[in-house]
Amino acid sequence: MPELSQETERRGAVLPLGLAEVTGPSMVPTLYHGDRLVVQYGARVRPGDVVVLRHPFQQDLLVVKRAAERREGGWWVLGDNAYAGGDSTDYGTVPEELILGKVWFRYRPRPVGRRSPLAVARWVLSAARPVLSDRSASRRLRAR
């Protein structure tokens, strides 16, 4: 269930961008353990966006989930991996003030020990991608 390292904290309002590192499987296949994220703090959140938030019960723990829909009292958030848990199905609606920012971009660090030209080329082609909104999140919500 834990999703991010603590380096994601906002460092003042001067630069609303930050970096985060994913730990855990709850956002597979969109995000994998070890992925690095570029987060815009204070961004407007819409259904389908991948967001960084404080865990409602452990507010020193930061997590990344998909904002499925706005409900009374905040956002209903879901992980992309339905088998991992650790989302609003466990802790309910997340208050708006716990949503810290929106994820725009992810990159994967280069694997250690893979030096062949083919391995480097594969990494270059797949390492960096935008994190797109999934507007079908509400359909997944109804399916649960």
Side-chain angles (χ1 to χ4, degrees):
M1 179 173 57
E3 284 298 320
L4 300 177
S5 67
Q6 289 292 28
E7 67 187 70
T8 20
E9 286 296 324
R10 185 191 324 199
R11 294 193 181 113
V14 176
L15 185 61
L17 296 178
L19 298 176
E21 181 178 345
V22 176
T23 58
S26 73
M27 287 299 290
V28 170
T30 305
L31 303 172
Y32 290 91
H33 180 81
D35 282 356
R36 307 300 200 277
L37 306 176
V38 176
V39 180
Q40 180 185 8
Y41 292 102
R44 183 173 159 222
V45 176
R46 291 188 259 175
D49 288 343
V50 176
V51 296
V52 173
L53 58 119
R54 290 189 183 282
H55 192 285
F57 301 140
Q58 287 181 282
Q59 293 189 7
D60 61 331
L61 178 65
L62 302 178
V63 295
V64 61
K65 300 292 176 196
R66 191 171 300 275
E69 69 179 23
R70 186 181 285 273
R71 292 188 175 182
E72 185 178 329
W75 282 94
W76 189 263
V77 296
L78 297 172
D80 285 358
N81 181 352
Y83 300 107
D87 55 20
S88 286
T89 57
D90 294 331
Y91 46 74
T93 303
V94 177
E96 184 78 33
E97 61 270 11
L98 295 182
I99 305 291
L100 300 178
K102 179 178 175 178
V103 176
W104 284 100
F105 198 74
R106 73 103 175 123
Y107 63 96
R108 295 193 171 128
R110 186 169 162 215
V112 178
R114 296 190 184 170
R115 298 181 186 171
S116 74
L118 180 59
V120 171
R122 282 185 181 160
W123 173 77
V124 166
L125 292 174
S126 69
R129 297 245 196 269
V131 176
L132 302 174
S133 295
D134 181 4
R135 302 294 179 212
S136 67
S138 61
R139 274 188 257 135
R140 282 199 320 273
L141 177 63
R142 286 191 298 271
R144 287 188 178 185

